[in-house]
């Protein structure tokens, strides 16, 4: 998928509240586990690297989201752009 298309998807995800606009509390890099990417909805395959984003909520609750590296970059760009 082209970068512009990824950025559009990232904006849509942010606007819909599917991914927070804030900075993650933790980011893990690891081989994909087949989970759907929070940005593009395609699975992060086992031969791909994924980022797992963790966002702390009240108490011990943590929201986790899996994203492709390129999808993370698009989300990060759009997130920062929206915060200015």
């Amino acid at each position: 998928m082209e970068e512009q298309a990824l950025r559009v998807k990232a904006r849509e995800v942010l606007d819909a509240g599917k991914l927070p606009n804030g900075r993650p509390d933790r980011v893990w890099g690891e081989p994909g586990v087949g989970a759907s990417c929070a940005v593009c909805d395609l699975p992060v395959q086992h031969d791909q690297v994924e980022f797992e984003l963790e966002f702390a909520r009240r108490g011990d609750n943590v929201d986790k989201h899996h994203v492709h590296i390129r999808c993370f970059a698009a989300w990060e760009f759009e997130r920062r752009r929206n915060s200015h």
Side-chain angles (χ1 to χ4, degrees):
M1 190 175 297
E2 292 183 29
E3 181 180 350
Q4 282 302 111
L6 285 177
R7 288 180 43 194
V8 167
K9 285 199 171 275
R11 276 193 300 274
E12 291 171 354
V13 165
L14 286 166
D15 290 345
K18 186 176 174 183
L19 270 177
N21 197 27
R23 226 180 129 150
D25 296 296
R26 285 189 164 176
V27 178
W28 304 94
E30 59 193 2
V33 295
S36 293
C37 175
V39 174
C40 73
D41 289 324
L42 296 173
V44 184
Q45 301 295 334
H46 299 284
D47 62 344
Q48 298 174 312
V49 176
E50 74 173 16
F51 284 150
E52 183 177 309
L53 312 178
E54 291 186 358
F55 297 89
R57 292 189 299 149
R58 283 188 135 171
D60 293 334
N61 296 324
V62 175
D63 289 331
K64 296 180 182 182
H65 303 275
H66 301 265
V67 294
H68 296 97
I69 292 174
R70 291 183 64 225
C71 293
F72 172 81
W75 169 77
E76 182 73 0
F77 180 85
E78 292 302 322
R79 173 183 87 73
R80 288 177 179 226
R81 190 176 98 159
N82 286 343
S83 67
H84 295 290

